[in-house]
Amino acid sequence: MRFLVKKRLLLLALVFSTMLACACGNNHKASNLTVDKERIIIGFSQVGAESDWRYANTNSMKEALSLSNGYELIFDDGQQKQSNQITAIRKFIQQEVDYIVLAPVTESGWDTVLQEAKDANIPVILVDRMVDVKDDSLFTCWVGSDFELEAKKVTAWLKQYCDNEEINPEEVHIVNIQGNIGASAQIGRTKGIEDACKEYGWDLVDEVCGDFTQAKGREVMKEFLKQYDNINVVYCENDNEAFGAIEAIEDAGIKVGSDIKNGEIMVLSFDGVNKTALEYVKEGKISCIGECNPDHGPRVRSIIDTLHMGGKPEKLQYVNESLFVSGSNITSLIVDGQVYPITEITDEE
Ligand code: GYE
């Protein structure tokens, strides 16, 4: 009974908001008029549209949770602001959606709004980044990457490369262009490089936030090059920052590449979603990319289906990922006692 009333209220709300949108000359979401009462209604609060990874992730979610697959996805772009995401979640609660999916911009600050969702009996599925909450019953489950492991693999590759090329640790001068401060992807990847610098004795010259964007990556790298004349490795916490960093390095008349003994600046990065990034690996402009898989749509769908049928999905679901390299003669890596494969990018890809 509650279910039917809830769906009717939602239908009314959707019709009303569509009328409003049309009156404002905005024709998006016209499809809301055709909401089927049997469909599963999902509110998805996405971080934003800062990177190629994020676009791919949004597409994956929209495709998997499409109308034709039997879902009504109410998509909200948080534009990288937690306050927008909190507002979106509150709207989803008012709309009495069946499930809330949240890709949180940062880890902290979610306790209150997630408690509100819990009080409304709406399961919350986290995707991509994590939340740091006092009570982990505030979310039903999470699916995403092990960001620290990604970083450990990239740094293990660098260690192996330096050993093979007989480069001494004190000759390795690294700058880190960080992602959004407080995001799980930033926290894990920053921890990975900081730990590796301590463990292997590399010089971590500086770390500055590049917002996961190309424009900021370029700006930060330009500043680094003005301030320091010994940089030979730039560790970028995603590919878009790497694109910006490469522009800044080339603008300064320096070559990007692995040959740091002969004055090149080595670029390391994460994601491997954009074709250009993989092309750069093949050309040697990016030496190593820690893969970050954005295709969470089918994973979230299967979690929702399990919950809908009364099942209990695993609380934390990690995705398997590889490393993308080209021509470094390193074929596998051992991290924490486990062997990880490496994907060699060749012309056939
Ligand atoms: O690596 C970056 C994006 O949280 C895994 O966020 C995600 C990261 C991804 O903007 O490109």
Side-chain angles (χ1 to χ4, degrees), residues 34-216:
T34 60
V35 167
D36 181 328
K37 286 187 195 124
E38 296 313 311
R39 284 198 183 107
I40 299 174
I41 317 270
I42 300 152
F44 174 35
S45 168
Q46 175 62 292
V47 170
E50 73 285 2
S51 67
D52 293 299
W53 189 99
R54 191 63 56 197
Y55 278 113
N57 178 246
T58 295
N59 286 341
S60 169
M61 296 287 288
K62 285 184 175 171
E63 268 171 33
L65 301 169
S66 64
L67 283 173
S68 53
N69 284 338
Y71 306 88
E72 171 76 19
L73 185 72
I74 308 172
F75 178 83
D76 188 278
D77 179 336
Q79 311 208 337
Q80 303 255 58
K81 289 202 182 76
Q82 185 175 43
S83 56
N84 290 341
Q85 292 201 283
I86 290 174
T87 305
I89 293 171
R90 292 203 166 122
K91 246 192 244 160
F92 297 152
I93 296 172
Q94 275 171 15
Q95 289 170 314
E96 299 192 354
V97 299
D98 297 311
Y99 299 92
I100 291 174
V101 179
L102 167 66
V105 61
T106 48
E107 292 195 349
S108 59
W110 297 103
D111 295 79
T112 307
V113 76
L114 293 190
Q115 185 64 54
E116 290 167 21
K118 189 178 173 187
D119 293 345
N121 272 325
I122 303 174
V124 173
I125 297 146
L126 301 174
V127 66
D128 167 24
R129 302 175 186 172
M130 228 328 157
V131 295
D132 182 8
V133 282
K134 284 189 200 88
D135 168 8
D136 79 356
S137 76
L138 292 182
F139 65 92
T140 303
C141 52
W142 166 87
V143 61
S145 308
D146 185 335
F147 302 112
E148 197 181 334
L149 178 61
E150 289 175 352
K152 283 184 178 179
K153 290 194 267 181
V154 169
T155 54
W157 179 89
L158 178 60
K159 164 83 174 114
Q160 185 71 55
Y161 178 83
C162 291
D163 287 351
N164 292 356
E165 298 294 316
E166 296 179 347
I167 298 165
N168 294 327
E170 59 276 12
E171 290 165 23
V172 180
H173 305 285
I174 305 173
V175 284
N176 177 16
I177 306 182
Q178 297 171 288
N180 280 91
I181 303 300
S184 309
Q186 176 275 316
I187 295 171
R189 292 171 188 167
T190 296
K191 182 171 187 315
I193 189 68
E194 288 177 349
D195 287 352
C197 286
K198 273 185 215 130
E199 186 179 345
Y200 304 133
W202 298 329
D203 170 30
L204 184 54
V205 179
D206 205 348
E207 301 185 286
V208 171
C209 171
D211 280 347
F212 285 128
T213 66
Q214 180 161 347
K216 200 70 197 293

Side-chain angles (χ1 to χ4, degrees), residues 243 273-281 283 286:
F243 294 152
V273 170
N274 179 304
K275 274 206 171 123
T276 307
L278 296 175
E279 198 54 44
Y280 277 6
V281 171
E283 289 169 22
I286 300 180

